[in-house]
């Protein structure tokens, strides 16, 4: 029998909390599975926290976590992951746009296929405004899939199910919750995507704005860097550094030759400033790469962190060779 932890961060969702808990109960109780619902209040300013406390008195499987201030969705999810004890971890939004009735189907996929580590929801018939929500989301999904090389139709769908071992291997910072599938692939996860139901928001106010586009691009830059250069930062900065040094020193050598052999006046030439600038920036980038290499070793070696993850398996006992 699977043990399921459902992790839901909430922020100013007083009008939706009671309905959310009721729908979770309606979806999970008939399955007979052992489950827990972790509601993480991310510093709500309305009556969300009070509503959560009232509901926790009636449902023994409901556990409430109250953050002291609004940290953001990634931190709230991380708090839920840290407290989750199930074999499978399910995430969804607290605005009732995700349908809790889809949860058993996601868990069944993990139960029946041991090769799958993450089941990602796809809001195929999304009930949001076309220009302000769906179009930017489609562009973002295409860009994220291209950069991370993890192709999904819908990175923004919060309804996902994971094996606990995968989630416990991740740490979320900033606003990396959008990229959990890409981060999971980095630790060896296999992902499948399935269509899920999506409903219009009936109460409360959406917390998403157009400003998230800039944050997505910045986070995407970080994800790309960590996926390619986390353990070799000198390669990220070294190539650019050597290119700038080559051009900068080449320009300075050319000007020096003109000064020595042709007695040319080079003091006021813009080319001199360009050569000095390229040389200095190249040296700085090279130094940044070297400092990054030192930080990688400081990160891994003092606490014995490995640079790799190994798939679970059984190692044969060692035996000395027979004569």
């Amino acid at each position: 029998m699977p043990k399921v932890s459902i992790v839901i961060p909430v922020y100013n969702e007083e009008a939706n909390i009671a309905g959310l808990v009721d729908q979770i109960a309606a979806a999970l109780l008939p399955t007979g599975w052992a489950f827990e619902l972790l509601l993480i209040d991310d510093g709500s300013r309305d009556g969300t926290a009070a509503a959560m406390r009232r509901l926790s008195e009636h449902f023994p499987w409901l556990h409430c976590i109250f953050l002291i201030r609004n940290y953001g969705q990634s931190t709230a999810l991380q708090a839920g992951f840290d407290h989750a004890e199930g074999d499978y971890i399910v995430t969804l939004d607290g605005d009732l746009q995700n349908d809790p009735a889809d949860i058993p189907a996601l868990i069944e996929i993990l139960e029946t296929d041991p090769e799958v580590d993450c089941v990602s929801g796809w809001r195929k018939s999304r009930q949001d405004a076309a220009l302000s929500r769906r179009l930017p989301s489609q562009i973002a999904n295409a860009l994220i899939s291209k950069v991370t090389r993890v192709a999904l139709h819908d990175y923004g769908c919060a309804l996902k199910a994971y094996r606990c071992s995968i989630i416990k291997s991740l740490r979320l910072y900033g606003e990396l919750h959008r990229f959990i599938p890409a981060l999971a692939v980095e630790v060896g996860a296999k992902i499948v995507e399935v269509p899920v139901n999506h409903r219009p928001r009936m109460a409360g106010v959406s917390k998403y704005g157009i400003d998230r586009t800039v944050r997505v691009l910045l986070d995407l830059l970080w994800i790309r860097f960590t996926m390619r250069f986390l353990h070799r930062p000198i390669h990220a900065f070294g190539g650019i550094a050597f290119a700038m040094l080559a051009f900068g020193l080449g320009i300075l050598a050319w000007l020096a030759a003109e000064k020595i052999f042709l007695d040319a006046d080079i003091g006021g030439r813009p080319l001199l400033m360009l050569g000095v600038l390229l040389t200095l920036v190249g040296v700085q980038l090279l130094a940044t790469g070297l400092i990054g290499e030192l930080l990688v070793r400081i990160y891994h070696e003092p606490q014995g962190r490995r640079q790799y993850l190994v798939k679970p398996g059984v190692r044969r006992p060692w035996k000395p060779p027979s004569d």
Side-chain angles (χ1 to χ4, degrees):
M1 178 183 296
K3 297 179 181 178
V4 182
S5 295
I6 303 166
V7 176
I8 307 178
V10 292
Y11 177 66
N12 292 345
E13 296 288 358
E14 179 183 8
N16 291 315
I17 285 294
L20 177 65
V21 174
D22 289 340
Q23 292 186 30
I24 294 289
L28 272 297
L29 287 176
T31 64
W33 298 337
F35 72 94
E36 61 177 355
L37 171 58
L38 298 168
L39 290 179
I40 301 91
D41 175 47
D42 190 21
S44 296
R45 299 178 181 273
D46 61 357
T48 299
M52 289 167 56
R53 290 190 178 93
R54 289 194 300 268
L55 290 168
S56 64
E57 297 175 356
H58 299 90
F59 301 101
W61 38 263
L62 172 58
H63 308 290
C64 300
I65 301 171
F66 302 95
L67 304 185
I68 61 173
R69 64 175 178 85
N70 179 241
Y71 287 93
Q73 192 169 352
S74 290
T75 301
L77 279 173
Q78 186 64 62
F81 295 160
D82 291 341
H83 290 80
E85 299 180 355
D87 302 319
Y88 305 117
I89 296 177
V90 179
T91 62
L92 67 157
D93 281 335
D95 55 12
L96 287 177
Q97 289 194 261
N98 298 132
D99 191 350
D102 288 322
I103 295 175
L106 304 187
I107 299 299
E108 286 295 338
I109 295 175
L110 295 175
E111 280 279 278
T112 56
D113 191 344
E115 296 295 322
V116 175
D117 301 296
C118 170
V119 184
S120 182
W122 173 18
R123 298 167 294 183
K124 199 170 184 178
S125 300
R126 185 171 175 178
Q127 303 300 310
D128 282 322
L131 291 179
S132 62
R133 298 293 296 276
R134 280 187 290 169
L135 181 60
S137 180
Q138 289 173 357
I139 296 173
N141 288 323
L143 181 61
I144 295 171
S145 296
K146 179 70 173 178
V147 171
T148 63
R149 299 180 183 177
V150 181
L152 293 178
H153 293 91
D154 192 357
Y155 267 88
C157 181
L159 181 54
K160 294 178 173 68
Y162 310 89
R163 296 190 188 276
C164 178
S165 58
I166 292 296
I167 286 298
K168 297 297 184 179
S169 301
L170 305 178
R171 302 297 297 179
L172 300 182
Y173 300 95
E175 296 194 18
L176 295 183
H177 61 276
R178 303 181 184 90
F179 305 99
I180 293 180
L183 296 173
V185 168
E186 280 295 290
V187 295
K190 178 182 177 181
I191 299 177
V192 297
E193 190 174 31
V194 297
V196 295
N197 187 29
H198 190 248
R199 305 176 293 192
R201 176 183 273 272
M202 301 303 295
V205 179
S206 174
K207 314 305 184 298
Y208 297 102
I210 196 66
D211 61 321
R212 67 173 177 165
T213 303
V214 177
R215 299 198 298 269
V216 168
L217 293 175
L218 294 174
D219 289 336
L220 188 57
L221 179 63
W222 166 248
I223 289 293
R224 183 58 175 172
F225 178 83
T226 57
M227 292 179 71
R228 291 196 59 185
F229 303 110
L230 180 61
H231 295 136
R232 47 191 179 100
I234 190 67
H235 292 184
F237 298 99
I240 302 174
F242 279 126
M244 288 190 170
L245 283 172
F247 280 106
L249 293 175
I251 291 172
L252 295 179
W254 174 268
L255 293 176
E258 286 192 355
K259 181 65 176 177
I260 294 172
F261 297 108
L262 302 177
D263 195 26
D265 183 13
I266 63 172
R269 295 176 64 176
L271 196 60
L272 176 63
M273 300 302 298
L274 177 61
V276 172
L277 178 63
L278 290 175
T279 301
L280 290 177
V281 173
V283 170
Q284 289 179 333
L285 288 176
L286 191 59
T288 301
L290 293 173
I291 293 172
E293 290 288 332
L294 291 174
L295 292 176
V296 167
R297 284 151 180 78
I298 292 172
Y299 174 78
H300 284 287
E301 292 176 6
Q303 299 185 27
R305 294 187 180 96
R306 295 177 178 175
Q307 304 96 307
Y308 57 87
L309 295 172
V310 178
K311 292 183 178 180
V314 179
R315 179 178 175 177
R316 294 178 180 177
W318 181 84
K319 293 181 179 180
S322 57
D323 296 333

